[in-house]
């Protein structure tokens, strides 16, 4: 009998790692298929191609500490080193726009898959976990909003997770230091999301430190953890101070406690909308989407019900992950509880991820969760808006649990598989029956929604609700089939069944979510026109101003002017203005006087 050489095992692991990377790259190409057309540019609202082109001009001054005078008025930019800027400096803005989101998601999914592989999971489970964590839900659909800093944060989050797992397994201090550096680097990309992720990553770090130290003795833990913790603290602290200095948190400094609470929790994930996690489009796709406007409560301004002032709601992303990932996540948790004595280390990891998943979801509920208020008293948390940012980590934890569940299903005894198959089948039947009831109520439901103020969009909302519930039922039925195939314990059926959940996730990403959130930008948004040529020729060192922002004027400010470097004093994307901006606007109420003080030489208005 021939022995298996360590080198052969290492080569096999390396080959599988490369194949996983190729798989996620192929997924990126499929999901972003809207960009296959020649000349296509990804559409996003915030970090759009216009602002990216503006940032490129800024990087011409300095890569290490970028800044430009246009930042003073109209062009929001952080004067801080961001790793993603190095790629932006090297490629055209359009190329960066088209590639960056998919690149970050592919790398993050691959790093998480490597973490799962190190945990001993099979390739199908590793791929499934990476896809669930990063190629569905908020982590995919925020592409529409832009937010490139969040995507860079996801890569460093996945790298930190992988390095922590490798540290615990190999007990090599270098992996711990890499994990600390990756955790700290998250703060360079987007400090608020990084802080939320770091709060939940810290317990995982402690668990892996105990694993590396072979126990929970304080001396051993301190010996192994001091260097990673120091590196993370230095990077995170420096980045956080830079973000504080840029005015990001100043908006809450002068607010009363009630005003601050309403401000920081405005974008809390409503628990009543949790069906969205497994039923695609249940509460609509996004605000303003003609095929299904968002009709839920997220983003609702405080006191809106009484005064009608502010936002009724506002949401640009979707949290849909899928019914099959939920099924296997529950299976992973149940298996960890059942095997906690036979396989204590693997069960402890799955249970830890389960706890982190639940905690992250509860914190994402924000104002709807009773313990979020005391959390907001902690330094830094009280000035960060949007508790729903915790969903980034929640979704990654969900992906890890789903991977553990699929791997457990591949080893499940036929009797246990049969029980789970029946459970999934019953769940599928209930959802399908509920969907049929909604289809039967389509016309009447549309009329009720129209009468409630949704007008012609009422029918699209009711159609989406019926489709969402029916689709969830169909997905659970597929999950039941997968469990049945795996329970047969036949090699050919197991091989196909193991990869079927991953295929469903790719289908959801490419054909359910992508059409609503991965779209191309009309060429006219940044195409040079006669006005642009005139202003480039005449403005010089002065600035422009808008007498109105209605209609296409807003598109000019958001896309056209930043793209072509036309300076303006109009602030288009500054929801949290620093105190000096507010003080200036309050002191200078005469627009003509403000134009004089800010070197405006050209004012744009309607011809009449």
């Amino acid at each position: 009998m021939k022995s298996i050489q360590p080198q052969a095992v290492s080569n096999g692991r390396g080959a599988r790692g490369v194949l996983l990377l190729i798989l996620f790259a192929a997924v990126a190409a499929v999901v972003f298929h809207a960009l296959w057309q020649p000349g296509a540019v990804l559409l996003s609202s915030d970090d759009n191609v216009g602002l990216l082109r503006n940032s490129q001009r800024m990087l011409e001054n300095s890569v290490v500490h970028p800044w430009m005078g246009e930042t003073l008025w109209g062009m929001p930019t952080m004067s801080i080193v961001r790793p993603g800027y190095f790629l932006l400096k090297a490629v055209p803005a359009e190329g960066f726009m088209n590639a960056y989101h998919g690149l970050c998601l592919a790398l993050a999914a691959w790093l998480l898959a490597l973490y799962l592989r190190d945990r001993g999971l099979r390739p199908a489970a590793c791929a499934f976990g990476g896809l669930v964590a990063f190629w569905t839900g908020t982590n995919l659909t925020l592409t529409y909003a832009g937010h490139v800093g969040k995507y860079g944060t996801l890569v460093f989050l996945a790298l930190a997770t992988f390095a922590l797992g490798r540290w615990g397994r190999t007990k090599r201090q270098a992996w711990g230091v890499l994990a600390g550096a990756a955790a700290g680097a998250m703060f360079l990309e987007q400090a608020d999301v990084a802080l939320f992720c770091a709060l939940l990553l810290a317990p995982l770090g402690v668990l892996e430190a105990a694993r590396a130290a072979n126990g929970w003795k304080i001396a051993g833990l301190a010996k192994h953890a001091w260097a990673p913790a120091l590196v993370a603290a230095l990077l995170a602290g420096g980045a956080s101070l830079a973000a504080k200095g840029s005015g990001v948190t100043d908006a809450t400094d002068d607010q009363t406690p009630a005003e601050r609470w309403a401000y920081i929790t405005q974008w809390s994930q409503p628990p009543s909308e949790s069906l969205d996690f497994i039923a695609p489009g249940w509460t609509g796709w996004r605000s303003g989407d003609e095929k299904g406007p968002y009709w839920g409560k997220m983003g609702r301004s405080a006191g809106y019900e009484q005064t009608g002032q502010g936002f009724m709601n506002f949401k640009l992303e979707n949290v849909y992950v899928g019914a099959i990932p939920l099924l296997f996540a529950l299976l992973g948790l149940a298996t960890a509880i059942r095997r906690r004595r036979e396989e204590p280390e693997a069960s402890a990891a799955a249970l830890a991820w389960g706890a982190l998943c639940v905690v992250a979801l509860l914190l994402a509920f924000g104002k709807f969760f009773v313990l979020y208020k005391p959390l907001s008293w902690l330094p830094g948390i009280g000035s960060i808006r949007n508790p729903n940012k915790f969903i980034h980590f929640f979704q990654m934890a969900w992906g890890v649990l789903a991977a553990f569940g699929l791997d457990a299903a591949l080893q499940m005894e036929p009797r246990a598989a049969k029980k789970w198959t029946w459970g999934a089948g019953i769940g599928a039947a209930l959802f399908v029956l509920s969907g049929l009831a909604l289809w039967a109520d389509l016309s009447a439901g549309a009329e009720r929604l129209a009468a409630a103020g949704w007008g012609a969009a009422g029918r699209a909302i009711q159609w989406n609700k019926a489709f969402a519930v029916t689709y969830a039922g169909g997905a659970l039925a597929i999950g039941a089939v997968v469990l049945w195939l795996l329970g047969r314990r036949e090699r050919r059926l197991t091989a196909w069944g193991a990869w079927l959940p991953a295929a469903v996730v790719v289908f959801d990403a490419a054909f359910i979510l992508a059409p609503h959130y991965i779209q191309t930008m009309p060429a006219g948004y940044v195409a040079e026109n006669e006005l642009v040529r005139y202003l480039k020729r005449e403005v010089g060192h002065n600035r422009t101003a808008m007498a109105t922002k209605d209609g296409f004027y807003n598109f000019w400010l958001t896309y056209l002017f930043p793209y072509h470097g036309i300076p303006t004093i109009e602030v288009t994307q500054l929801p949290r203005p620093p105190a000096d901006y507010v003080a200036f606007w309050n002191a200078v109420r005469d627009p003509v006087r403000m134009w004089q003080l800010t070197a405006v030489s050209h004012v744009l208005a309607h011809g009449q």
Side-chain angles (χ1 to χ4, degrees), residues 69-70 72-73 539-545 566-569 597-603:
E70 290 178 26
L72 293 173
W73 291 103
V539 168
H541 296 293
N542 297 312
R543 298 186 177 97
T544 63
I566 298 173
T568 177
I569 67 164
L597 292 172
T598 52
V600 169
S601 59
H602 291 74
V603 179

Side-chain angles (χ1 to χ4, degrees), residues 456-470:
R459 184 170 184 83
I461 293 173
Q462 185 69 12
W463 191 95
N464 281 331
K465 292 169 67 176
F467 168 79
V469 174
T470 308

Side-chain angles (χ1 to χ4, degrees), residues 537-552:
R537 189 171 62 247
E538 299 294 334
V539 168
H541 296 293
N542 297 312
R543 298 186 177 97
T544 63
M546 294 280 188
T548 177
K549 294 183 185 178
D550 296 337
F552 60 84

Side-chain angles (χ1 to χ4, degrees), residues 429-442 466-467 469-470:
L430 292 174
F431 270 91
V432 169
L433 290 173
S434 300
L436 291 175
L438 288 168
W439 287 116
D441 192 45
L442 186 61
F467 168 79
V469 174
T470 308

Side-chain angles (χ1 to χ4, degrees), residues 396-560:
M396 187 179 77
W398 186 349
V400 172
L401 280 179
F404 276 114
L406 179 56
D407 196 73
L410 291 167
Q411 309 172 62
M412 193 182 299
E413 294 297 327
R415 180 180 296 181
K418 188 175 182 179
K419 291 180 180 179
W420 280 92
T421 301
W422 272 105
I426 292 171
L430 292 174
F431 270 91
V432 169
L433 290 173
S434 300
L436 291 175
L438 288 168
W439 287 116
D441 192 45
L442 186 61
S443 297
E447 291 176 0
R448 290 193 298 271
L449 288 164
W454 289 101
R459 184 170 184 83
I461 293 173
Q462 185 69 12
W463 191 95
N464 281 331
K465 292 169 67 176
F467 168 79
V469 174
T470 308
Y471 191 87
L476 282 173
I478 294 175
V481 170
V482 170
L483 290 169
W484 177 78
L485 290 173
L486 299 182
R488 295 289 299 275
R489 310 293 288 181
E490 296 179 15
R491 177 169 295 186
R492 182 170 59 85
L493 293 178
T494 300
W496 284 98
W499 287 93
L500 191 55
V504 172
V505 174
V506 173
F507 177 86
D508 284 346
F511 301 105
I512 299 298
L513 296 175
H516 297 281
Y517 302 97
I518 299 175
Q519 301 178 357
T520 57
M521 183 184 69
Y525 279 16
V526 295
E528 189 175 67
N529 55 35
E530 185 59 37
L531 173 68
V532 168
R533 287 188 286 271
Y534 171 79
L535 290 175
K536 282 183 176 180
R537 189 171 62 247
E538 299 294 334
V539 168
H541 296 293
N542 297 312
R543 298 186 177 97
T544 63
M546 294 280 188
T548 177
K549 294 183 185 178
D550 296 337
F552 60 84
Y553 289 104
N554 190 51
F555 286 101
W556 285 357
L557 288 170
T558 305
Y559 297 91
L560 185 67

Side-chain angles (χ1 to χ4, degrees), residues 170-197:
T170 65
K171 310 184 190 316
R172 293 179 180 174
Q173 189 78 327
W175 286 109
V177 172
L178 176 60
M186 291 192 301
F187 289 78
L188 295 173
E189 288 287 354
Q190 187 157 339
D192 53 358
V193 177
L195 180 57
F196 282 179
C197 290

Side-chain angles (χ1 to χ4, degrees), residues 14 16 28 67 71 154 184 293 357 425 431 465 506 539 550 559 561 604:
R16 286 193 293 271
W67 189 86
T71 305
L154 293 179
C357 186
F431 270 91
K465 292 169 67 176
V506 173
V539 168
D550 296 337
Y559 297 91
F561 281 18
L604 284 73

